[in-house]
Amino acid sequence: MDTADTTAGTVSMASIAEITSPEELRELLGEPTAAARDKVRTRLHDLDKEWLALSPFCLVATAAADGTCDVSPKGDPDGLALVLDDTTVVVPERPGNRRADGFFNVLSNPHVGLIFFIPGRGDTLRVNGRARIVRDAPFFDAMTVKGHRPQLALLVEIEEVFHHCSKAFLRSSLWKPETWRPEEMPSRARIAKRLERPEAPLEELERYYGPRYADHLYG
């Protein structure tokens, strides 16, 4: 690709200064501080467990053996992830669109990365490890929500765990309601009409994605 269209206009790829080596990247960024370099642990601390008990949302990053990537959001009441022990957490799967992109990635490449959020907090908890897809286990009962026992879960054997600072959230003002502008984008129903289900009447899509959408989160 020789050119790219951006909000700034057409950009020539030849004008882009690309970094192509670890040495060049390190020279540009400099060395991390000792605290940043050494904060990675291999086991959950009690503070990590407290964080997980309060976290209702995480992002799960996966990549297939061919390099195809996916990031999938997961949400539940507080305590989304079940802590089995100091080196193992489980994230339940809830009803969705059944694409299962991340699960298929795990089948060919078990390495995963997770970021756990607490609403209103800028810092996050990051967990990297190796995942297995579990279809049943005794601990599934502990992950039942509103009568729904998960059909699948992602069991992650922790290799790295550490807390990440809040700079990205501060720069983005993500948790500040006064910066929110949801009305400036078309509704979910209108996006589905344009991109996914052009044959469906808009009124039908508005009903589907309307207030009753939340009634079917677990079944």
Side-chain angles (χ1 to χ4, degrees):
M1 184 173 64
D2 297 325
T3 62
D5 293 328
T6 71
T7 54
T10 301
V11 176
S12 168
M13 292 296 103
S15 68
I16 293 177
E18 182 180 357
I19 289 178
T20 58
S21 71
E23 294 78 16
E24 187 181 3
L25 180 61
R26 183 53 67 198
E27 181 181 1
L28 177 67
L29 297 180
E31 295 294 332
T33 65
R37 183 191 63 226
D38 300 335
K39 68 180 178 179
V40 178
R41 293 168 281 108
T42 59
R43 304 176 70 86
L44 294 172
H45 187 277
D46 286 346
L47 287 172
D48 304 327
K49 296 175 185 178
E50 289 183 37
W51 187 282
L52 292 171
L54 291 171
S55 175
F57 182 83
C58 77
L59 297 174
V60 180
T62 60
D66 65 0
T68 306
C69 297
D70 181 72
V71 178
S72 181
K74 306 295 180 183
D76 246 349
D78 293 357
L80 157 72
L82 177 67
V83 177
L84 294 187
D85 54 43
D86 290 351
T87 59
T88 315
V89 296
V90 184
V91 178
E93 178 68 1
R94 303 302 182 186
N97 58 19
R98 297 188 291 276
R99 283 181 55 97
D101 299 297
F103 285 123
F104 281 107
N105 286 349
V106 166
L107 290 175
S108 63
N109 174 13
H111 298 282
V112 299
L114 302 89
I115 300 183
F116 290 92
F117 299 75
I118 294 178
R121 289 286 296 251
D123 45 340
T124 55
L125 180 67
R126 297 175 62 168
V127 173
N128 299 322
R130 298 173 67 90
R132 290 186 284 164
I133 304 171
V134 182
R135 65 182 301 169
D136 198 12
F139 53 76
F140 273 39
D141 290 340
M143 297 188 293
T144 298
V145 175
K146 296 185 178 180
H148 178 82
R149 190 177 188 268
Q151 289 183 312
L152 293 174
L154 198 67
L155 186 150
V156 180
E157 297 171 346
I158 296 170
E159 296 178 330
E160 296 181 320
V161 57
F162 58 96
H163 287 260
H164 199 280
C165 76
S166 61
K167 288 180 180 177
F169 288 82
L170 293 172
R171 293 181 184 121
S172 65
S173 299
L174 185 66
W175 299 125
K176 293 183 177 180
E178 63 269 24
T179 69
W180 298 350
R181 297 177 294 168
E183 71 286 345
E184 295 192 14
M185 275 298 294
S187 68
R188 178 68 187 101
R190 291 182 179 276
I191 291 173
K193 174 71 174 176
R194 290 278 301 276
L195 301 179
E196 301 154 15
R197 300 171 61 185
E199 76 291 345
L202 179 60
E203 296 78 10
E204 176 184 314
L205 293 172
E206 287 176 335
R207 284 195 300 271
Y208 178 77
Y209 289 110
R212 295 185 62 185
Y213 189 72
D215 296 338
H216 306 286
L217 298 180
Y218 290 95

